[in-house]
Amino acid sequence: MTWIADNSLTIFQKFCINVLKSGPIPKHIAFIMDGNRRYAKKHQVEKVDGHSKGFQKLSDCLSWCLELGIKEVTVYAFSIENFKRTNDEVDQLLQLAREKFAKLFEEKDKLMENGVCIRVIGNLTLVPEALRKLIAKAMLMTRNNDKAILNVAFAYTSRDEIVNSLKVINEAVKNGDIVCNDINENLISYCMYTNQSPNPDLLVRTSGEVRLSDFLLWQTANSQICFTKVLWPEFGIWHLLACIFQYQRGCKELQVDASRPFSNIENNNVKTFLHKLDERRLKQLEIYASA
Amino acid sequence: MSAMTGAPLYRALNVLVHLLFTIYQWLVAWRKQGGVFVGAGHEFDDVEAIRCLEKEIAVQNKIPKHLTVLLGQEEPSYPDLANIVLWSISHRIRFLSFYDYQGVLWKHQHKLAAAISEKIPHKDSVIWHNRRSLPCQENGNGLQKRLKPLAENGKVHVTIHLRIISPQNGRQSIVRLAQDLCQDAQAGEWTIESLDQKLRAEFEFPDPDLGLSCGNFLSLLHYPPWQIRVTEFLSIKTHHRIKYRQFLEQLSIFASCEQRLGR
């Protein structure tokens, strides 16, 4: 199973994509890929097979998004809350993640040729060392690619991300890099794990659940949210096109620009601090990669 | 046909498909209202459905502690919001909030208060929370007393806490908290739990269990982000002329939602 599936769309599907592309298309979509375990139960297979199907669906979905011209995709792969699952299931999920990230390096040429950038957003201190090393290497390998961006939320919750941002800011205030008055919404956004990405235009959750489950709560302030009943492994091109169609209709009614870039930072102290923060995070990745 | 050469055709088809879908939606809405033949039979169905829903909700025994209504881009309809307050009280929902992104409801709170008074004459049934006056800034005992149903002339009045939420209660409250904590040398360790405690104290209400969103499309429009971690969002299309039956349908759907909380 590959990270970027070969595009096997029919002529009619491509035609419909072209029709949709003539209207507004989200620049950034976020997915809560829910329903793997219910899929496994429905088809009487092991949970890990359900998760494996889920990864395959991610791969298909990425290729469809590329076809639609959606440059950035964020997916909720593993929540910090998921560590509460049984040891067996957590081990299986982490093992699956290790296999998929290891596979990345086998497909390095394809990824670099397609200009795919992989970023993992989350609290990497909670991730086992072996997996963390693979994640760091994947991020470093692809970090200069800019044709398509995949953000994988792993060991992530929004509250943890917000607290982390505030801690980083607090440290900067204590070090004298910035002052209290420099703290505003924009600065907090720039300190998030997602600081290199515009906010999602559209958030899609599959499987019929109608909550955000601690995912991108800060970043989805203006996003359109689409709940769909289909289980993630059964999410097909027509489901995606239906979400885009709904998004286009929503654009007219809501008239908000979710993915407006963060405001420019004018303050030199803040600019310097953010630059140092990015360098520190890069350095930390290099440490993880060489562990 | 490539996207470039067929561009005007694709655009025309895009417009056509959206137009056809709009017509389809009008037809569905018209049919739902019974077209021109709304009659006694239709109303009888409503009474029967309400009876069933009330029974279902009683059996499911899961009512939101805090119900929040997101007005979206709708103008507030005060009599309809007052109905929601009344229905929430009758179903023992303890906390009710209205989120008005545009700030109209905040400016015209007196109109909402007047509409509520018409439907709910007992003043103490509704405990208002707002910025100008904070009736619940009492000591813990005072607040506890007001949470209990009030007894008067042998009748028990159930109370509800009501507030209007605005975008200022959202990201800005996190910014203010960050500024305060940075200046507080005694702040202690920054954890999710400690920040949650401080944000709860400012928000005053528990996190919303259920959010009813108005409009054809859901967007949070800067609803306070910290508090909606596991809020269930259901769409009611519009709060204008909302019927009791629709309100019950949402409570019934909520009662059947199962939260796994990561497990």
Side-chain angles (χ1 to χ4, degrees):
Chain A
M1 271 173 278
T2 172
W3 275 79
I4 304 188
D6 289 323
N7 193 329
S8 55
L9 295 168
T10 64
I11 294 174
F12 180 61
Q13 287 165 345
K14 288 188 182 180
F15 179 81
C16 292
I17 285 174
N18 282 334
V19 170
L20 275 181
K21 271 169 95 166
S22 65
I25 293 285
K27 298 183 209 56
H28 178 186
I29 297 189
F31 289 97
I32 301 179
M33 306 182 293
D34 198 13
N36 292 339
R37 290 185 297 175
R38 274 167 280 172
Y39 172 87
K41 191 173 176 183
K42 183 175 162 186
H43 294 269
Q44 294 172 323
V45 295
E46 294 293 324
K47 281 182 197 169
V48 70
D49 294 326
H51 290 302
S52 206
K53 276 279 183 196
F55 176 79
Q56 182 57 48
K57 189 53 60 178
L58 167 60
S59 175
D60 293 338
C61 198
L62 289 178
S63 74
W64 301 331
C65 287
L66 282 173
E67 186 74 26
L68 276 157
I70 298 167
K71 188 174 163 178
E72 190 151 4
V73 173
T74 300
V75 297
Y76 202 6
F78 192 86
S79 163
I80 293 175
E81 301 289 317
N82 293 151
F83 280 115
K84 292 181 196 164
R85 293 184 180 180
T86 61
N87 287 339
D88 276 347
E89 189 175 350
V90 172
D91 288 343
Q92 282 173 352
L93 284 166
L94 294 177
Q95 172 61 23
L96 184 66
R98 266 197 302 278
E99 283 168 19
K100 298 310 172 195
F101 276 100
K103 187 129 177 74
L104 255 178
F105 301 100
E106 293 172 25
E107 297 176 12
K108 180 183 173 179
D109 291 340
K110 196 174 175 185
L111 283 168
M112 300 310 274
E113 190 186 304
N114 284 293
V116 178
C117 174
I118 308 263
R119 294 182 193 140
V120 174
I121 55 169
N123 191 336
L124 294 184
T125 64
L126 300 175
V127 177
E129 198 179 305
L131 175 55
R132 189 166 63 208
K133 182 172 179 169
L134 288 171
I135 285 171
K137 285 173 86 169
M139 287 174 72
L140 290 169
M141 177 177 85
T142 60
R143 74 186 184 96
N144 292 320
N145 292 340
D146 61 3
K147 290 214 184 88
I149 298 161
L150 171 62
N151 304 304
V152 180
F154 203 92
Y156 175 92
T157 63
S158 202
R159 283 190 175 184
D160 178 79
E161 181 184 29
I162 293 170
V163 169
N164 182 266
S165 281
L166 299 191
K167 277 186 185 172
V168 156
I169 290 170
N170 180 45
E171 200 186 298
V173 169
K174 287 194 161 42
N175 292 341
D177 296 333
I178 56 175
V179 295
C180 269
N181 283 346
D182 291 327
I183 302 174
N184 54 32
E185 284 182 37
N186 211 30
L187 178 64
I188 295 176
S189 295
Y190 270 109
C191 293
M192 295 281 191
Y193 300 138
T194 54
N195 64 355
Q196 295 176 76
S197 302
N199 294 328
D201 297 285
L202 177 62
L203 168 65
V204 176
R205 179 169 189 156
T206 55
S207 89
E209 305 293 354
V210 292
R211 53 186 179 268
L212 301 187
S213 296
D214 220 341
F215 183 56
L216 301 181
L217 302 178
W218 181 274
Q219 294 85 339
T220 51
N222 270 334
S223 309
Q224 267 196 63
I225 297 171
C226 175
F227 296 122
T228 171
K229 290 194 163 76
V230 65
L231 301 176
W232 175 251
E234 294 171 340
F235 187 76
I237 178 65
W238 294 114
H239 296 107
L240 177 61
L241 297 186
C243 292
I244 304 295
F245 184 72
Q246 185 178 313
Y247 169 79
Q248 292 187 342
R249 298 184 69 76
C251 278
K252 286 185 191 134
E253 182 173 302
L254 293 166
Q255 294 184 352
V256 286
D257 183 8
S259 64
R260 192 179 64 236
F262 307 153
S263 308
N264 281 336
I265 301 283
E266 302 295 337
N267 182 311
N268 283 329
N269 288 341
V270 173
K271 268 191 207 171
T272 307
F273 154 63
L274 290 174
H275 183 68
K276 270 165 53 176
L277 176 63
D278 282 343
E279 282 190 337
R280 202 165 76 216
R281 285 177 171 170
L282 181 61
K283 189 107 183 97
Q284 184 61 68
L285 274 184
E286 286 166 354
I287 292 170
Y288 287 148
S290 58
Chain B
M1 185 191 299
S2 76
M4 289 296 287
T5 55
L9 171 64
Y10 293 132
R11 181 71 198 136
L13 284 171
N14 186 289
V15 169
L16 179 63
V17 169
H18 279 286
L19 179 62
L20 288 173
F21 194 80
T22 302
I23 293 170
Y24 164 73
Q25 284 184 314
W26 283 343
L27 286 171
V28 166
W30 183 74
R31 193 155 182 264
K32 211 173 173 182
Q33 282 170 17
V36 294
F37 301 116
V38 178
H42 185 72
E43 286 166 13
F44 178 76
D45 287 342
D46 253 1
V47 167
E48 193 49 36
I50 285 168
R51 208 176 56 81
C52 288
L53 283 165
E54 283 179 333
K55 207 167 156 184
E56 214 174 280
I57 289 164
V59 162
Q60 286 163 330
N61 198 26
K62 182 183 164 195
I63 292 287
K65 192 171 176 190
H66 173 190
L67 167 65
T68 191
V69 181
L70 292 80
L71 299 188
Q73 303 195 320
E74 293 195 326
E75 287 294 314
S77 164
Y78 302 102
D80 294 308
L81 294 178
N83 275 338
I84 292 174
V85 176
L86 177 66
W87 299 333
S88 298
I89 291 175
S90 75
H91 285 278
R92 300 191 178 249
I93 292 171
R94 302 268 296 277
F95 297 87
L96 173 64
S97 60
F98 297 121
Y99 178 64
D100 176 25
Y101 167 70
Q102 299 179 105
V104 174
L105 189 54
W106 178 258
K107 277 196 211 118
H108 300 287
Q109 286 184 49
H110 59 283
K111 290 188 184 177
L112 178 59
I116 291 172
S117 297
E118 272 184 45
K119 294 188 193 281
I120 305 166
H122 199 288
K123 272 193 229 158
D124 284 344
S125 295
V126 179
I127 303 168
W128 281 83
H129 296 244
N130 57 47
R131 276 181 196 254
R132 291 180 211 133
S133 62
L134 295 167
C136 281
Q137 269 184 337
E138 304 169 345
N139 60 38
N141 290 338
L143 186 55
Q144 282 304 311
K145 277 185 198 163
R146 293 178 81 169
L147 284 174
K148 286 188 186 155
L150 302 173
E152 191 179 274
N153 298 332
K155 288 184 188 166
V156 173
H157 299 283
V158 181
T159 56
I160 194 168
H161 292 260
L162 178 65
R163 74 173 295 187
I164 295 164
I165 300 176
S166 67
Q168 285 300 313
N169 302 118
R171 286 178 168 195
Q172 278 303 309
S173 69
I174 296 176
V175 170
R176 284 193 297 272
L177 178 64
Q179 288 169 340
D180 291 344
L181 290 177
C182 283
Q183 288 169 337
D184 180 4
Q186 312 294 325
E189 207 191 330
W190 292 34
T191 61
I192 292 175
E193 291 72 27
S194 63
L195 264 63
D196 185 45
Q197 213 175 19
K198 292 181 167 43
L199 286 168
R200 264 177 199 271
E202 188 184 319
F203 195 63
E204 293 178 19
F205 278 24
D207 295 345
D209 317 73
L210 173 60
L212 299 183
S213 97
C214 303
N216 292 314
F217 306 95
L218 172 59
S219 178
L220 298 169
L221 297 174
H222 287 270
Y223 192 98
W226 183 269
Q227 286 78 5
I228 51 165
R229 187 174 68 99
V230 289
T231 306
E232 306 281 352
F233 288 103
L234 300 176
S235 168
I236 56 171
K237 300 295 182 209
T238 178
H239 72 284
H240 290 219
R241 294 173 299 283
I242 182 172
K243 293 192 178 158
Y244 180 50
R245 176 180 170 171
Q246 281 173 282
F247 180 81
L248 289 179
E249 281 166 353
Q250 308 314 310
L251 289 190
S252 178
I253 295 169
F254 170 76
S256 59
C257 288
E258 188 202 328
Q259 295 223 343
R260 296 177 296 277
L261 297 170
R263 288 188 189 85

